[in-house]
Amino acid sequence: MRWLDAALRAITPWGWALLAVVALGVFLARSLGWAEALVSAVAAATLLVGAIPWIVGERWARARIGLSAERVPVGADALALIEVSRPTRAATPRQIDLDIGDEEAVLEIPSLGVGGKVLRSVPLDTSRRGLRTIGPATIMRTDPFGVLERRHRLTETRTLVVHPRVVRLPGGAGGIVRDLEGEAAAERTADDVSFHSLREYAPGDDRRLVHWRSSARHGSLLVRQFEPSRRADTLIVLSTDPREYDGDDFELALSIVGTLGLAAIADRRSLRIVESPRAERGPVRPIDAATRDRLLDALAVLEPRGGVGIAAAARASRSTARGSVAWLITGSTVPPRELRTAANGMPEGVVSVVVRAAVGAVPTRARLGDADVATVGAIEDLSRGIGDAGRA
């Protein structure tokens, strides 16, 4: 029975002592006829009953909780805002307790007139990415003698999402191979927008491609052929194997993923982001990158977990590499052999760029066999670190 459980939880140790006095006094008065014991029992019962009005009711105070921003990057300022009002003539509490994760903030409330309001703010910790649960705001209601007490919930909870830090890259940096105005592939096709040359007609060619004026001058049918333009679709593969990261490398890796992903979204490129599969031959796990907020929200709660490293993740994502560039993001402890295997795991025609997140390292770019390997020591160095890596 919920009401009984709530009633029992409202009794303080002092209240339980008074209940014991009531029970013992009644027992002694009935068994031994002690009038003093009966007086003590009545006095204790009076204190218990008199404490009830102090903790019942719901109108002592009203409160609303809000956030200065629901999503902030790591290190940004964020505040929890609490508005407290006095709806009736009943005395308002002198303090309100606000749960902030595993901690509790105590807010002092001044005396308010009926209908009066006061706004209080509490700075929030944004030093690490993740979710911060703010609230509920509660008040402790008790009687003057501390016989009964009741924690009254004034608000619901709110959630602050702390995103990994991202920076803005120059236009096109997230895709490397540009679209129609960009680079053309080496192969030839009969259907595209970039004209390349004429060739002899072959059986089966579309007659709409015949260049009649040149055919008349040449004396035989000539058809047009084109250079196919490759869409700068982007695939980002993130290793979530904790063995590949040292210190805060994984936090930097998430910032790199967010920065590259937002660059692709800003350039309106097709984007797919995946993380390591759980098993060697398992499927990669997609990360929601449909919008900016959904991508950063997903990265805010992503943690290293058991699974395979970047080489196996690249191999598992091979079937999804339909674009022109694949960014392979890993940590600082991966040996060169694994990096080379990862870069070689992509299909032919897909430019692979391995990015090592190594906090504090000097940004460098190097060739490892046929692979471009960029080392980034801070998210601000990403643009310099990747430079022209992987450009076809």
Side-chain angles (χ1 to χ4, degrees):
M1 297 169 53
R2 295 178 59 185
W3 67 269
L4 179 59
D5 180 63
L8 293 176
R9 286 189 285 107
I11 303 174
T12 65
W14 172 230
W16 285 110
L18 290 178
L19 280 176
V21 170
V22 172
L24 182 60
V26 171
F27 173 77
L28 293 176
R30 295 191 62 179
S31 60
L32 302 178
W34 287 2
E36 296 83 354
L38 182 59
V39 171
S40 299
V42 171
T46 300
L47 286 176
L48 284 167
V49 173
I52 295 176
W54 291 88
I55 67 168
V56 298
E58 304 290 339
R59 299 297 182 184
W60 279 26
R62 288 179 180 169
R64 294 190 301 170
I65 185 172
L67 300 173
S68 58
E70 293 187 349
R71 296 176 173 89
V72 296
V74 168
D77 293 333
L79 297 173
L81 306 173
I82 308 295
E83 183 187 76
V84 183
S85 62
R86 181 184 180 184
T88 67
R89 293 183 177 275
T92 54
R94 290 302 182 185
Q95 69 180 38
I96 286 181
D97 301 322
L98 178 66
D99 290 338
I100 304 177
D102 296 330
E103 301 178 353
E104 185 177 79
V106 178
L107 309 179
E108 299 295 331
I109 305 300
S111 178
L112 298 174
V114 177
K117 298 180 180 179
V118 64
L119 184 65
R120 289 286 183 264
S121 62
V122 180
L124 301 177
D125 179 20
T126 62
S127 60
R128 302 288 291 183
R129 67 175 178 87
L131 303 182
R132 305 285 185 273
T133 301
I134 316 300
T138 60
I139 57 173
M140 181 63 75
R141 300 171 62 175
T142 186
D143 61 278
F145 299 101
V147 176
L148 302 177
E149 65 181 18
R150 176 191 173 199
R151 184 164 292 279
H152 178 47
R153 183 169 176 159
L154 297 178
T155 69
E156 299 300 322
T157 61
R158 300 291 297 272
T159 300
L160 173 70
V161 185
V162 182
H163 290 159
R165 290 191 62 237
V166 295
V167 297
R168 187 171 182 177
L169 293 179
I176 291 183
V177 183
R178 291 168 292 177
D179 288 322
L180 302 181
E181 73 278 17
E183 300 202 25
E187 63 270 18
R188 301 291 172 255
T189 179
D191 184 17
D192 213 292
V193 297
S194 181
F195 173 76
H196 178 260
S197 60
L198 298 174
R199 62 170 175 81
E200 294 283 347
Y201 175 84
D205 285 340
D206 190 341
R207 289 184 175 272
R208 290 175 297 179
L209 299 178
V210 173
H211 197 279
W212 297 105
R213 184 174 299 176
S214 298
S215 297
R217 289 198 302 265
H218 190 264
S220 61
L221 291 179
L222 299 176
V223 295
R224 291 170 291 215
Q225 61 179 358
F226 303 87
E227 293 177 335
S229 57
R230 293 186 295 176
R231 276 197 57 82
D233 295 344
T234 301
L235 170 68
I236 301 176
V237 182
L238 171 67
S239 170
T240 51
D241 185 352
R243 296 170 297 181
E244 297 189 349
Y245 296 94
D246 184 34
D248 284 335
D249 288 351
F250 187 73
E251 300 300 316
L252 176 57
L254 292 180
S255 293
I256 294 171
V257 171
T259 297
L260 293 173
L262 294 186
I265 292 174
D267 291 340
R268 298 184 179 181
R269 305 178 189 278
S270 175
L271 173 65
R272 179 174 172 81
I273 304 178
V274 297
E275 59 172 300
S276 300
R278 297 184 184 275
E280 184 68 28
R281 298 186 179 277
V284 290
R285 292 173 288 183
I287 296 175
D288 188 354
T291 65
R292 181 184 191 279
D293 284 343
R294 286 166 66 175
L295 169 57
L296 294 179
D297 286 353
L299 296 179
V301 298
L302 191 61
E303 297 293 340
R305 62 189 94 189
V308 300
I310 190 62
R315 187 164 53 250
S317 61
R318 181 182 177 90
S319 61
T320 69
R322 297 182 294 271
S324 56
V325 60
W327 297 96
L328 310 177
I329 315 300
T330 185
S332 60
T333 64
V334 185
R337 179 179 178 182
E338 289 291 306
L339 299 179
R340 188 184 302 111
T341 302
N344 293 336
M346 291 294 104
E348 184 179 356
V350 175
V351 177
S352 300
V353 183
V354 179
V355 182
R356 297 172 62 247
V359 174
V362 176
T364 59
R365 189 178 70 250
R367 293 288 294 179
L368 188 62
D370 295 332
D372 285 302
V373 178
T375 298
V376 177
I379 189 59
E380 292 80 7
D381 298 330
L382 179 60
S383 180
R384 181 158 55 122
I386 61 177
D388 294 326
R391 288 192 183 277

